[in-house]
C-alpha cells in the first residue's frame, strides 16, 4: 500500500511513526514555510529551504537497526553553548550543506536518506521556501478588526484568532507557490493520503494552498484520511473545537472530499457535532483512544496505527459513523458552538 502523509513538525513525525506499522511504502510531503529557530536562521542567512521539518520526517522514517540509529541520533543533536552554532541541529546543517552542494532538494533528501537508512521517501511540499500570511482578529480594541500578519512563528504564537491563511512564493504576494512535481505525483499515485495532525494553520492547511498539490488531492483516487489534533494549540487554534478544525479545512479547500476523520474519543466533547462536520466533507468519523498514556496532548503511534488500519479496512464506524448532511446544515445545528468566522 502506498501511503502519503502531509504535514510538518511533531504532528507529521507521529503520523509517519504510525504509518510505518501499517506499510513500508511511506512518502512524507513536508511544509517549507518555517521561519523560526535553527531553520529560520539558515533560511535567512543562506536563502535555503528551512530544513527542520524535513529533518524530523527523515528521522521518523529512519531504520531502527544498525548504524542508521546513530545517524538519526546525530541528526537530532543540537549544539549547546552561546556561539554561532548554538541551537543548530546537526541534521539541519547537513541538509543545508547538501543543498548548497547539490541544489536540488529532492536529490538532497535522497542522499541524506541513505545515511539514515530511511524506509520510504521524504519530499518538500515546494522546492523553494514559502511565506505564510494570515488574517487575524482580536488584536485590537475592536475585536472584529482584521490584521494581516506574516511568518510561521508569528502566526503560530498570535494572541489573536486566525481566520484565513495564504501562501506566497519566493517572489512575494502575487506569486503562487509551485508544488514539488515528485510530491504531486506521489499524491496522485497513492493508495491513501493522510492530512494532520499538526499545527493546523502552519503545517496542515498550507498543503491545500499549493495549486498543483490541491488539484492532486482533489483528483487522486486514494483514500483520504484527516487526523485531528488532541488539544487546541495555543495561538493558532486556541478555543477551537474538533469540528471547527474541519470547518476551517473545508473553507480553505471546499472541493476536497475526505473518506475518514480520526479523532481521540476523549478529546471530542460532542461526538454528534464532529460526525456532522465529518459528513460535510464526505467522511465517516472514527473515534477511539489514540492519546499517549499520561500525555493527553501527544498521540500514541501504536494506537493511531490501529485506528488508521481500521479506517482503511472499511470497518463500519459503529455508533460513531457519520450521517449525511451539508456544511450549512451542520453549522446551523451546532447548538451554540461559536462560528469560525
Amino acid at each position: 500500500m502506498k501511503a502519503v502523509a502531509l504535514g510538518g513538525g511533531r504532528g507529521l513525525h507521529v503520523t509517519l511513526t504510525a504509518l510505518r506499522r501499517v506499510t513500508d511504502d511511506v512518502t512524507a510531503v513536508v511544509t517549507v514555510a518555517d521561519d523560526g529557530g535553527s531553520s529560520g536562521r539558515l533560511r535567512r542567512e543562506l536563502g535555503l529551504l528551512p530544513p527542520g521539518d524535513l529533518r524530523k520526517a527523515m528521522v521518523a522514517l529512519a531504520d531502527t537497526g544498525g548504524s542508521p540509529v546513530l545517524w538519526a541520533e546525530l541528526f537530532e543533536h543540537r549544539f549547546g553553548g552561546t556561539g554561532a552554532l548554538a541551537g543548530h541541529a546537526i541534521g539541519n546543517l547537513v541538509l543545508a550543506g547538501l543543498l548548497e552542494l547539490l541544489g536540488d532538494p529532492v536529490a538532497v533528501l535522497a542522499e541524506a536518506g541513505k545515511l539514515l537508512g530511511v524506509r520510504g521517501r521524504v519530499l518538500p511540499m515546494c522546492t523553494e521556501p514559502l511565506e505564510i500570511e494570515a488574517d487575524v482578529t482580536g488584536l485590537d480594541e475592536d475585536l472584529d478588526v482584521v490584521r494581516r500578519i506574516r511568518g510561521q512563528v508569528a502566526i503560530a504564537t498570535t494572541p489573536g484568532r486566525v481566520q484565513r491563511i495564504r501562501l506566497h512564493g519566493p517572489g512575494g504576494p502575487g506569486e503562487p507557490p509551485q508544488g514539488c512535481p515528485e510530491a504531486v505525483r506521489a499524491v496522485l499515485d497513492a493508495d491513501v493520503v493522510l492530512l494532520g495532525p499538526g499545527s493546523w494553520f502552519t503545517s496542515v492547511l498550507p498543503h491545500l494552498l499549493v495549486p498543483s498539490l490541491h488539484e492532486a488531492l482533489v483528483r487522486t483516487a486514494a483514500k483520504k484520511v484527516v487526523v485531528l489534533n488532541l488539544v487546541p494549540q495555543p495561538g493558532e487554534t486556541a478555543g477551537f473545537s474538533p469540528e471547527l478544525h474541519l470547518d476551517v479545512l473545508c473553507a480553505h479547500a471546499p472541493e476536497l472530499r475526505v473518506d475518514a476523520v480520526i479523532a481521540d474519543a476523549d478529546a471530542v466533547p460532542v461526538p454528534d457535532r464532529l460526525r456532522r462536520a465529518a459528513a460535510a466533507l464526505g467522511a465517516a468519523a472514527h473515534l477511539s483512544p489514540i492519546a499517549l498514556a499520561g500525555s493527553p496532548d501527544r498521540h500514541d503511534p501504536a494506537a493511531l496505527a490501529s485506528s488508521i488500519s481500521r479506517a482503511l479496512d472499511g470497518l463500519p464506524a459503529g455508533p460513531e459513523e457519520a450521517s449525511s448532511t451539508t456544511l450549512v446544515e451542520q453549522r446551523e445545528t451546532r447548538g451554540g458552538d461559536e462560528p469560525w468566522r
Side-chain angles (χ1 to χ4, degrees):
M1 181 181 67
K2 296 179 180 179
V4 174
L6 297 88
R10 192 175 75 180
L12 180 59
H13 186 285
V14 74
T15 302
L16 296 174
T17 304
L19 277 176
R20 285 187 57 176
R21 298 169 179 263
V22 179
T23 176
D24 286 330
D25 194 339
V26 179
T27 297
V29 178
V30 186
T31 52
V32 288
D34 193 3
D35 60 359
S38 170
S39 289
R41 289 162 60 190
L42 292 170
R43 173 178 176 169
R44 288 188 295 272
E45 293 171 12
L46 303 176
L48 301 173
L49 279 182
D53 285 349
L54 296 165
R55 182 197 83 246
K56 292 173 186 174
M58 298 190 74
V59 170
L61 293 177
D63 198 350
T64 55
S67 59
V69 170
L70 177 60
W71 277 107
E73 292 177 356
L74 182 65
F75 260 53
E76 290 289 76
H77 178 73
R78 290 183 184 273
F79 289 106
T82 57
L85 292 176
H88 276 305
I90 291 179
N92 288 357
L93 299 178
V94 171
L95 292 176
L98 284 171
L99 281 166
E100 287 204 333
L101 283 175
L102 301 179
D104 178 9
V106 175
V108 165
L109 293 167
E111 288 298 324
K114 296 175 184 177
L115 287 176
L116 296 171
V118 166
R119 293 167 52 193
R121 196 178 189 191
V122 177
L123 296 169
M125 178 177 74
C126 301
T127 57
E128 294 184 287
L130 304 177
E131 183 177 54
I132 306 177
E133 179 182 82
D135 293 336
V136 180
T137 58
L139 298 177
D140 296 82
E141 188 173 329
D142 182 348
L143 298 181
D144 292 327
V145 171
V146 178
R147 297 288 182 185
R148 287 188 177 182
I149 61 175
R150 289 187 180 180
Q152 184 268 336
V153 172
I155 295 168
T157 58
T158 180
R161 192 174 181 89
V162 180
Q163 301 293 330
R164 178 173 290 276
I165 62 167
R166 290 171 292 276
L167 279 187
H168 301 312
E175 179 182 334
Q178 302 297 314
C180 172
E182 290 84 356
V184 172
R185 176 47 55 188
V187 170
L188 290 173
D189 291 344
D191 297 307
V192 57
V193 175
L194 276 82
L195 194 63
S199 300
W200 213 244
F201 285 102
T202 56
S203 291
V204 178
L205 295 182
H207 293 84
L208 303 173
L209 303 183
V210 178
S212 56
L213 263 180
H214 177 276
E215 182 182 0
L217 285 165
V218 171
R219 287 177 48 204
T220 184
K223 291 184 178 179
K224 285 163 277 191
V225 180
V226 172
V227 182
L228 291 179
N229 294 335
L230 298 170
V231 295
Q233 181 177 348
E236 283 199 31
T237 55
F240 274 41
S241 63
E243 55 271 15
L244 204 49
H245 287 72
L246 298 183
D247 280 5
V248 172
L249 188 151
C250 185
H252 282 80
E255 296 180 356
L256 181 68
R257 312 309 293 166
V258 176
D259 296 286
V261 172
I262 293 175
D264 181 74
D266 293 333
V268 181
V270 187
D272 282 347
R273 293 182 183 176
L274 180 62
R275 289 196 294 268
R276 290 193 292 269
L281 292 168
H286 295 260
L287 277 66
S288 60
I290 54 175
L292 194 63
S295 300
D297 63 337
R298 300 184 64 182
H299 289 83
D300 181 337
L304 180 57
S306 296
S307 185
I308 292 171
S309 293
R310 288 195 298 272
L312 297 181
D313 287 342
L315 296 177
E320 304 299 342
E321 187 169 7
S323 59
S324 178
T325 187
T326 67
L327 183 60
V328 172
E329 289 171 342
Q330 61 92 4
R331 280 177 175 163
E332 289 175 346
T333 57
R334 281 266 164 89
D337 189 31
E338 181 183 357
W340 167 53
R341 291 184 290 175

